[in-house]
Amino acid sequence: MPATAVKRRKETGISIAPATALIRPRVLIGDCLKAMEKLPAESVDLIFTSPPYAEARKSSYGGIAPNDYVVWFMPRAKEMMRVLKPSGSFILNIKEKTANGEKLTYVLELIQAMRKEGWLWTEEYIWHKKNCYPGKWPNRFRDAWERLLHFTKRKTFKMLQENVMIPAGDWQKKRLRKLSETDMIRDESRSKSGFGKNISHWVGREKAYPTNVLHIATECANKNHSATFPLSLPEWFIKLLTEPGDTVLDPFCGSGTTLIAAQNLSRESIGMEILPEYKELILERIKNNGG
Amino acid sequence: MPATAVKRRKETGISIAPATALIRPRVLIGDCLKAMEKLPAESVDLIFTSPPYAEARKSSYGGIAPNDYVVWFMPRAKEMMRVLKPSGSFILNIKEKTANGEKLTYVLELIQAMRKEGWLWTEEYIWHKKNCYPGKWPNRFRDAWERLLHFTKRKTFKMLQENVMIPAGDWQKKRLRKLSETDMIRDESRSKSGFGKNISHWVGREKAYPTNVLHIATECANKNHSATFPLSLPEWFIKLLTEPGDTVLDPFCGSGTTLIAAQNLSRESIGMEILPEYKELILERIKNNGG
DNA sequence: AGCTCTTATGAATCATTGA
DNA sequence: GTCAATGATTCATAAGAGC
């Protein structure tokens, strides 16, 4: 194989697999409540999604009233329960809105409703948004974090911790140079593929396990969707909770960031999106990504 | 008063009061439910506390079963409501326990119960523990964060944001040296967020406001108490939510870290602790601290 | 490659104004 | 009164251009 067969994007270090091994994501336009019915039971290894938050993204999604949020969500959670394998995981990226100076409670109620339906609330990861929205208010600072709720069907589930290990050597070197601890995540994202190529860089170095706090900047480049999350967020969980060839589902896929991440990591993926106008954008991104 | 009477620590800007102005914390041994009855109504500016978690510190409170936690806590919350000034704040440092592979829900239930009793759930700060406890588990990473729930009685409350400002990032020096044309006018964001900025307003600023994620290392020094937090945690909230001479209360004060912080910052403080054997330790710390 | 510099942008919140 | 629309406020980061 010539050295040019695998191209490497600058800075990010994302491996682009050769065309023969490319796994194309599937995109279904429509309400995921109906779309999920088409999937066989226990066929998905990981559900990673960021649903519309209550009354957020109003201009594009109409906005779900906070009081109706749990009632709106739970039928969809039931379908997710059906399609998820017993060994699978459901990662839900969500944050409550502040209204009238107070935090709303629909996320707390959602966790409780999920447990009543048999989901195990296994973990709560924190996404620390390094470059959060600016702003100033008399009784509030800028909001720099979101929840990543981890639900499972069973107490033991597929988790491949070695896939997200961090090169401890680099981290220590950086600390000596007085760089912030968050730089270790940047190192991590530089060796994003995590499989094959970049792992060799770590030979002879000590590796450390990460914690349940993820330091990731919000995306600055993507102008096409009102609420994208950075690629490294789904990538981290896909590497941690699935193997190559496994299936990833994003029932609220938006501009398709989860699908791109799955494609990069050679996982099967299915995305669902209710707004038809996103379809072309998603397909374009997939096409440009895989080559 | 001579200029040297009030010394100012470099960096932190904390005023150190002269020895004559030393404010001694008050320590009450006993269940805070009874102890708080001795305090007048609306006499406290800030309640900062880290209560015993469910089933933790079994020996002290006889081990509160997770199912009884809210019922145990709420009468105490009612007394806190009584003693807190209308402009005051209640910061609750808490994290749910994991049992049998699943996160328990007593913290979620507690937030809901507090709201029913009239507390406003104003904010949730994240304490990112930079050097969290080591360990390895098959389905879990190290837990590197805790909740700091901010409750208030009113929508507007005392908050002195300037007291916790941090040095502006180095990016500013370069960024502001030369301003482009768009920097001089309001530059609308393209993402329909309605967010825009006028960069030229930033010239001359040396400090920035923090976010709601606090990066504080845990302390290893306090081995005598099972649930201690670092001094800088109460210090940050005391500076933010009170003025010198104001009153701070910690109803579960343990080894007295909140009291030490209050003493350092020339605030009145009251600590309550159910275990009599802590009294000597607390008084010793106070004595050594104040000189 | 490595550095400096420029530019875009991100799930926001609150007070005020007008219907 | 209430409710909706509008304006004002604010950082840190990644990507890319240029040297």
Side-chain angles (χ1 to χ4, degrees):
Chain A
M1 192 166 74
T4 51
V6 174
K7 286 182 184 173
R8 198 165 289 274
R9 236 188 265 165
K10 230 180 169 185
E11 290 300 319
T12 61
I14 297 167
S15 301
I16 300 172
T20 48
L22 196 68
I23 298 174
R24 287 272 183 214
R26 283 169 60 197
V27 181
L28 306 174
I29 294 298
D31 189 332
C32 64
L33 183 58
K34 292 286 164 200
M36 278 191 284
E37 287 175 7
K38 295 170 194 159
L39 303 185
E42 304 194 349
S43 61
V44 169
D45 295 277
L46 169 66
I47 301 170
F48 182 95
T49 200
S50 190
Y53 302 174
E55 282 198 337
R57 293 161 76 178
K58 247 186 190 165
S59 57
S60 44
Y61 284 90
I64 301 125
N67 287 338
D68 304 335
Y69 198 82
V70 175
V71 170
W72 169 81
F73 193 88
M74 286 316 292
R76 289 159 181 84
K78 198 173 179 182
E79 273 300 298
M80 294 182 210
M81 176 70 95
R82 188 184 66 81
V83 302
L84 190 67
K85 289 184 191 171
S87 62
S89 283
F90 173 21
I91 301 289
L92 181 63
N93 172 217
I94 197 163
K95 180 78 192 256
E96 47 273 89
K97 197 180 142 63
T98 304
N100 223 0
E102 199 185 4
K103 295 268 156 203
L104 299 177
T105 55
Y106 57 90
V107 176
L108 313 185
E109 291 153 22
L110 184 58
I111 294 170
Q112 290 164 324
M114 293 280 287
R115 290 182 76 252
K116 270 193 196 119
E117 289 295 316
W119 289 95
L120 298 179
W121 181 30
T122 297
E123 180 58 294
E124 181 170 347
Y125 292 85
I126 296 294
W127 171 22
H128 169 222
K129 298 193 275 189
K130 289 190 292 183
N131 59 339
C132 65
Y133 251 76
K136 168 144 177 44
W137 308 275
N139 280 318
R140 189 171 300 286
F141 287 132
R142 292 174 297 146
D143 187 13
W145 65 280
E146 291 192 18
R147 302 178 198 279
L148 287 156
L149 302 170
H150 187 177
F151 294 101
T152 58
K153 295 171 89 163
R154 300 277 172 84
K155 259 173 58 180
T156 53
F157 48 89
K158 186 189 277 195
M159 190 180 201
L160 304 139
Q161 302 189 349
E162 286 68 27
N163 291 348
V164 293
M165 286 185 88
I166 295 158
D170 268 9
W171 174 62
Q172 279 164 1
K173 239 190 290 172
K174 298 245 179 203
R175 283 203 78 170
L176 291 175
R177 283 162 51 191
K178 284 200 168 183
L179 290 180
S180 71
E181 189 220 20
T182 60
D183 283 313
M184 65 197 239
I185 299 300
R186 205 174 302 145
D187 282 351
E188 204 276 329
S189 70
R190 284 213 182 93
S191 31
K192 243 171 211 163
S193 76
F195 306 98
K197 309 287 178 252
N198 290 332
I199 215 97
S200 62
H201 296 165
W202 295 357
V203 171
R205 289 187 194 172
E206 265 187 61
K207 284 185 273 176
Y209 292 100
T211 70
N212 58 0
V213 178
L214 300 160
H215 307 272
I216 300 175
T218 55
E219 203 81 9
C220 295
N222 191 339
K223 299 151 197 164
N224 296 311
H225 190 259
S226 58
T228 53
F229 40 79
L231 194 59
S232 42
L233 203 57
E235 274 185 346
W236 196 83
F237 285 102
I238 289 170
K239 285 196 283 183
L240 178 63
L241 301 168
T242 69
E243 294 168 280
D246 281 358
T247 299
V248 178
L249 167 67
D250 186 344
F252 307 96
C253 76
S255 61
T257 305
T258 305
L259 307 181
I260 302 293
Q263 194 180 30
N264 285 342
L265 297 165
S266 301
R267 269 71 164 176
E268 305 272 352
S269 63
I270 306 153
M272 300 164 180
E273 173 56 44
I274 200 164
L275 294 178
E277 55 264 43
Y278 279 119
K279 183 162 193 177
E280 210 174 324
L281 168 64
I282 300 168
L283 294 177
E284 190 72 16
R285 285 186 77 192
I286 290 169
K287 192 180 149 199
N288 291 340
N289 189 54
Chain B
M1 192 166 76
T4 51
V6 173
K7 285 183 185 172
R8 197 164 287 275
R9 233 190 266 165
K10 232 183 170 182
E11 293 297 321
T12 61
I14 298 166
S15 302
I16 301 173
T20 49
L22 195 67
I23 300 174
R24 288 274 182 211
R26 284 169 59 197
V27 182
L28 306 174
I29 295 296
D31 189 330
C32 64
L33 182 59
K34 293 285 164 202
M36 279 191 284
E37 287 175 8
K38 295 170 195 160
L39 302 185
E42 305 193 350
S43 61
V44 168
D45 295 278
L46 170 65
I47 302 170
F48 182 96
T49 199
S50 190
Y53 300 173
E55 279 198 339
R57 290 172 69 191
K58 252 184 188 160
S59 54
S60 39
Y61 283 87
I64 303 127
N67 287 340
D68 302 335
Y69 197 83
V70 174
V71 170
W72 169 80
F73 193 87
M74 286 316 292
R76 289 159 181 85
K78 199 175 179 180
E79 272 301 297
M80 294 182 209
M81 174 70 94
R82 187 183 66 80
V83 301
L84 190 67
K85 289 185 191 170
S87 62
S89 284
F90 173 22
I91 301 290
L92 181 63
N93 171 218
I94 198 163
K95 181 79 187 262
E96 47 275 273
K97 200 180 139 70
T98 302
N100 224 358
E102 197 184 6
K103 296 187 84 71
L104 299 175
T105 55
Y106 57 90
V107 176
L108 314 184
E109 291 152 22
L110 183 59
I111 294 170
Q112 289 163 326
M114 293 280 286
R115 290 182 77 252
K116 269 193 196 120
E117 290 295 316
W119 290 94
L120 296 179
W121 182 29
T122 297
E123 181 57 296
E124 181 170 345
Y125 293 85
I126 295 293
W127 169 23
H128 170 222
K129 297 192 273 190
K130 288 197 289 189
N131 57 341
C132 64
Y133 205 79
K136 173 155 172 33
W137 303 268
N139 278 319
R140 195 168 296 284
F141 287 131
R142 288 172 298 149
D143 188 12
W145 66 278
E146 291 191 18
R147 305 177 198 281
L148 287 155
L149 303 170
H150 187 177
F151 295 101
T152 59
K153 293 171 90 163
R154 300 277 172 85
K155 256 174 61 178
T156 54
F157 49 89
K158 185 188 278 195
M159 190 182 202
L160 304 140
Q161 302 189 347
E162 287 68 28
N163 290 349
V164 294
M165 285 185 88
I166 51 180
D170 290 335
W171 63 271
Q172 251 200 11
K173 292 186 185 72
K174 294 173 185 171
R175 177 71 180 83
L176 299 177
R177 212 151 55 200
K178 244 191 262 172
L179 295 174
S180 69
E181 241 171 69
T182 52
D183 287 343
M184 308 302 288
I185 57 164
R186 184 179 165 80
D187 185 25
E188 289 291 338
S189 171
R190 255 135 260 200
S191 64
K192 288 180 194 168
S193 63
F195 168 78
K197 64 183 180 298
N198 185 335
I199 302 272
S200 60
H201 287 168
W202 299 350
V203 174
R205 274 188 217 175
E206 288 177 358
K207 288 186 172 181
Y209 294 99
T211 70
N212 60 358
V213 177
L214 277 57
H215 305 274
I216 298 175
T218 53
E219 255 165 36
C220 316
N222 268 319
K223 288 159 197 159
N224 292 320
H225 192 258
S226 49
T228 188
F229 41 79
L231 193 59
S232 44
L233 203 58
E235 272 183 348
W236 196 84
F237 286 101
I238 289 170
K239 284 196 281 182
L240 178 63
L241 299 168
T242 69
E243 294 167 280
D246 283 357
T247 299
V248 178
L249 167 66
D250 186 344
F252 307 98
C253 77
S255 61
T257 305
T258 305
L259 307 181
I260 302 294
Q263 193 179 31
N264 286 343
L265 296 165
S266 299
R267 269 72 166 176
E268 304 272 353
S269 62
I270 306 153
M272 299 164 179
E273 171 57 44
I274 200 163
L275 293 178
E277 55 264 41
Y278 278 117
K279 184 162 194 178
E280 210 174 325
L281 168 65
I282 300 168
L283 294 176
E284 189 72 18
R285 285 185 77 193
I286 290 168
K287 190 181 152 201
N288 292 339
N289 188 54

